[in-house]
Amino acid sequence: MPALPVDQTAKGPGVSVDQRTSQADTDGKFRRQAASFRDVIAPDHDQFKPEKGRYVLYVSAICPWAHRTLILRKLKGLDDFVEVIWLHWALGPEGWFFKAEDNSIEKDPYYGFTRLREFYFKADPGYDKRFTVPMLWDRKLETIVNNESSEIIRIFNTAFNEVISPEKAKIDVYPEHLRTEIDEINEWIYNTVNNGVYKTGFATTQEAYDENVYPLFKSLDRLDAILSDGREFLVGGQLTEVDVRLFVTIIRFDAAYNTLFKCNIKTIRYHYRHLHRWLLHLYYDFPEAFKDTTFLDQLKKGYATAKLTIVPAGPVPAILEREEAQRLNLI
């Protein structure tokens, strides 16, 4: 699956299309482009080997697909192996860019680039697709390793196991005995929830909107039912990539998708008790990986910019303290 919440169109270095306004096709439906760079890092790879200080992960706080990779990087303890560089939380007319504000910096520290697109043209001067985050960059070969989030999290899950601590190496969010179940649930969650919020929010016809908003909430109902038995994780009684991939959508739901993307039939906080409990569990019980990689104020501003509209005030607070949620009987 592709790796960017805002579908960008590019036709080369001279492109002048405002990349914030080309979300839907002519039929009013939002469709994602497949990622273009699909290599891996592995000890036996002839080019990309797991070496300290070699790789850089380019991300933006708004992007749920980038957020997935940040969570895995923290879970696996890859700080010394994969540097993170933040682009600005807004999407500009020419795509992602640097700006000295919040997490971002004025320009890339290695090349002086001010826009993400410059990396894509450095890796491939003839590149004519979208400029997406997350982007995993190799400083040694000066090229993009991978820009597909679902593949980057699996790279992080295993590629560095021989060179990180045994404690971190044993963490496995895609264990072999659960892979069939993980793949099955990932498929419908991606189609109706992860991508469903964008197919709903970027629809430009009533038909396209209706076609996606109802399956989205049907799947949220299904997820809440799965979690209604009190389980802490969705699959196999352990943290897996299913939890990681869903978390990045659910944490953004009330803050952005419910308001800015018209996904407003229900909210997570007030209508999905078990899903809300699961969300707070990950956020508060795995703070380094989940809480510390979440920037709700920035992503709200980013989504408002992508939609060319004002930033909504709510929800207040952006996320509840767990004790307050319990007091209000919301979990």
Side-chain angles (χ1 to χ4, degrees):
M1 70 198 67
L4 181 67
V6 181
D7 201 345
Q8 302 177 43
T9 301
K11 299 298 182 183
V15 65
S16 59
V17 175
D18 187 330
Q19 307 210 351
R20 299 166 299 179
T21 58
S22 56
Q23 313 304 332
D25 290 340
T26 55
D27 61 358
K29 297 180 180 181
F30 171 77
R31 296 180 177 87
R32 290 191 182 278
Q33 170 196 278
S36 300
F37 296 88
R38 311 293 288 269
D39 221 316
V40 298
I41 299 170
D44 59 351
H45 198 284
D46 59 351
Q47 290 184 302
F48 304 116
K49 298 183 181 298
E51 300 173 7
K52 185 176 291 188
R54 177 172 173 176
Y55 300 100
V56 185
L57 182 66
Y58 288 87
V59 298
S60 171
I62 182 181
C63 177
W65 320 112
H67 195 176
R68 296 173 172 182
T69 64
L70 291 167
I71 291 170
L72 255 294
R73 175 179 173 271
K74 282 297 183 183
L75 286 174
K76 296 293 291 190
L78 299 179
D79 294 38
D80 292 338
F81 294 88
V82 181
E83 180 182 3
V84 171
I85 294 180
W86 296 83
L87 291 120
H88 195 249
W89 44 257
L91 183 71
E94 294 183 318
W96 303 107
F97 60 94
F98 291 97
K99 181 181 180 181
E101 183 180 7
D102 295 322
N103 301 32
S104 186
I105 52 181
E106 183 178 2
K107 59 185 178 181
D108 179 70
Y110 297 111
Y111 300 100
F113 294 160
T114 59
R115 297 169 297 174
L116 183 69
R117 57 191 284 137
E118 295 174 87
F119 290 96
Y120 278 83
F121 294 134
K122 183 173 180 62
D124 178 5
Y127 187 78
D128 63 353
K129 298 180 177 64
R130 300 168 186 124
F131 316 111
T132 64
V133 292
M135 182 191 74
L136 184 58
W137 182 264
D138 178 9
R139 290 179 56 202
K140 185 175 182 178
L141 298 181
E142 297 189 300
T143 193
I144 300 170
V145 180
N146 199 297
N147 68 336
E148 167 50 58
S149 67
S150 64
E151 294 175 1
I152 293 175
I153 65 174
R154 291 187 182 176
I155 290 171
F156 288 177
N157 188 47
T158 60
F160 297 88
N161 280 350
E162 294 183 6
V163 291
I164 59 178
S165 71
E167 179 184 5
K168 293 295 186 181
K170 71 180 181 181
I171 295 172
D172 185 2
V173 299
Y174 191 54
E176 188 170 356
H177 70 288
L178 294 175
R179 288 181 182 177
T180 298
E181 187 176 359
I182 288 172
D183 291 343
E184 289 175 353
I185 194 170
N186 273 343
E187 183 177 1
W188 63 263
I189 288 177
Y190 170 72
N191 286 323
T192 59
V193 181
N194 297 139
N195 203 35
V197 293
Y198 296 103
K199 291 188 289 186
T200 299
F202 287 128
T204 58
T205 67
Q206 189 67 48
E207 181 183 12
Y209 174 81
D210 291 344
E211 184 178 309
N212 291 288
V213 70
Y214 296 110
L216 163 62
F217 282 92
K218 183 177 180 180
S219 287
L220 292 176
D221 292 343
R222 181 179 178 183
L223 286 164
D224 201 60
I226 290 172
L227 292 164
S228 65
D229 62 3
R231 68 180 70 183
E232 295 183 327
F233 307 106
L234 280 160
V235 176
Q238 67 177 82
L239 180 66
T240 71
E241 67 172 44
V242 174
D243 300 291
V244 173
R245 289 165 53 133
L246 180 62
F247 174 87
V248 299
T249 299
I250 301 304
I251 195 65
R252 286 163 170 76
F253 197 91
D254 290 355
Y257 304 141
N258 179 261
T259 53
L260 293 165
F261 281 32
K262 300 182 179 67
C263 302
N264 57 358
I265 295 176
K266 299 178 184 178
T267 65
I268 301 301
R269 180 177 301 184
Y270 296 114
H271 300 96
Y272 291 107
R273 179 185 182 88
H274 307 293
L275 198 52
H276 189 205
R277 171 187 53 78
W278 166 90
L279 173 71
L280 297 184
H281 165 54
L282 295 178
Y283 188 84
Y284 288 115
D285 294 338
F286 301 87
E288 186 178 23
F290 291 90
K291 181 180 179 180
D292 295 350
T293 59
T294 301
F295 301 91
L296 289 170
D297 289 342
Q298 292 180 43
L299 68 88
K300 282 177 62 175
K301 291 185 291 186
Y303 281 114
T305 300
K307 294 289 286 184
L308 301 179
T309 188
I310 59 173
V311 181
V316 179
I319 188 167
L320 287 177
E321 294 290 339
R322 186 155 42 189
E323 293 75 13
E324 180 68 4
Q326 291 169 338
R327 187 185 71 80
L328 295 172
N329 198 32
L330 295 175
I331 61 173

